[in-house]
Amino acid sequence: MGNIFDVMYDVLFQPKMGMRVIADKKNISQSLIVFFLSLLIPLWALYFGLKASSGTALVHLVIGFKIIASLMLWILGTAVWHLIAEFFGGRGTAVGLFSALGFAYFPSVLIVPLWVFAALLPANFKSIMMALVALLILSWSFVLHIVAIKEVYQFSTTKAVLVLVTPMLIMVLVGAVTFTFISSALIQMPMWL
């Protein structure tokens, strides 16, 4: 494995090979650096945006919450996806997945220069371009998550997508069952309550 810049280049332009090497080498320190850069650079831009528009009272709270929530999502996501991948017959390691997923957040670094570019556009196109940029970055990161799972566990693309979306499908199913149960219980309650 080369230096961190070589790895980032591979993740951006040869993601399959890059994720496979990251998963094999399990370099957690490089993954932590990339994850925090990917988190802090957009937050830095958000800090100045919120500070200019709504004062400083909530800025620190929003940024602190975002850092803790993103870190928890990375750790818990790794644990849940690793368990599901093992149920699907995967043979990779949780540390390999943790390392690869840290690099999957890297495209969010690009949101700052792309939003600066979008801000220079005429007012009619500005909000549309910013929404498109956000959608592009989210989609790119989603694809890198799929590639990471695929390369860590040597899955097909379909199986990797299933591993990634299974927690969301379970949450939707549990929410639907809970809603149905509560709704039917409320309907059967006497009207005088």
Side-chain angles (χ1 to χ4, degrees):
M1 180 180 266
N3 64 40
I4 193 167
F5 298 108
D6 293 336
V7 179
M8 286 191 288
Y9 177 87
D10 287 343
V11 168
L12 291 179
F13 299 106
Q14 306 174 69
K16 186 176 176 181
M17 187 184 82
M19 289 297 186
R20 183 175 299 168
V21 170
I22 293 166
D24 288 343
K25 300 296 180 186
K26 302 176 183 73
N27 192 331
I28 293 176
S29 60
Q30 285 187 353
S31 188
L32 283 168
I33 291 169
V34 170
F35 175 79
F36 279 110
L37 281 177
S38 305
L39 184 63
L40 295 178
I41 290 174
L43 283 177
W44 174 71
L46 178 69
Y47 172 77
F48 287 108
L50 289 176
K51 191 175 176 183
S53 64
S54 65
T56 57
L58 293 176
V59 174
H60 299 101
L61 185 65
V62 169
I63 289 175
F65 176 77
K66 172 71 177 158
I67 290 171
I68 292 170
S70 297
L71 194 56
M72 294 298 293
L73 186 63
W74 183 27
I75 294 168
L76 292 176
T78 299
V80 170
W81 288 319
H82 176 70
L83 180 65
I84 293 169
E86 285 200 340
F87 284 144
F88 278 52
R91 296 183 182 181
T93 64
V95 176
L97 181 63
F98 183 79
S99 301
L101 290 180
F103 279 86
Y105 293 97
F106 183 65
S108 60
V109 167
L110 302 174
I111 203 163
V112 175
L114 290 174
W115 271 2
V116 168
F117 172 75
L120 298 175
L121 294 175
N124 296 343
F125 300 110
K126 194 182 297 184
S127 56
I128 294 171
M129 186 58 73
M130 286 183 167
L132 286 176
V133 165
L135 185 63
L136 171 75
I137 298 297
L138 280 175
S139 301
W140 194 355
S141 185
F142 185 77
V143 168
L144 286 178
H145 276 71
I146 293 170
V147 174
I149 292 171
K150 184 178 171 181
E151 294 306 315
V152 169
Y153 299 102
Q154 297 299 301
F155 281 159
S156 66
T157 302
T158 305
K159 220 171 190 179
V161 171
L162 279 175
V163 169
L164 189 63
V165 301
T166 294
M168 292 172 249
L169 294 176
I170 290 172
M171 283 192 290
V172 168
L173 183 65
V174 168
V177 169
T178 304
F179 178 77
T180 304
F181 178 75
I182 291 173
S183 298
S184 65
L186 288 176
I187 288 173
Q188 293 177 3
M189 287 180 73
M191 293 301 291
W192 45 270
L193 283 178

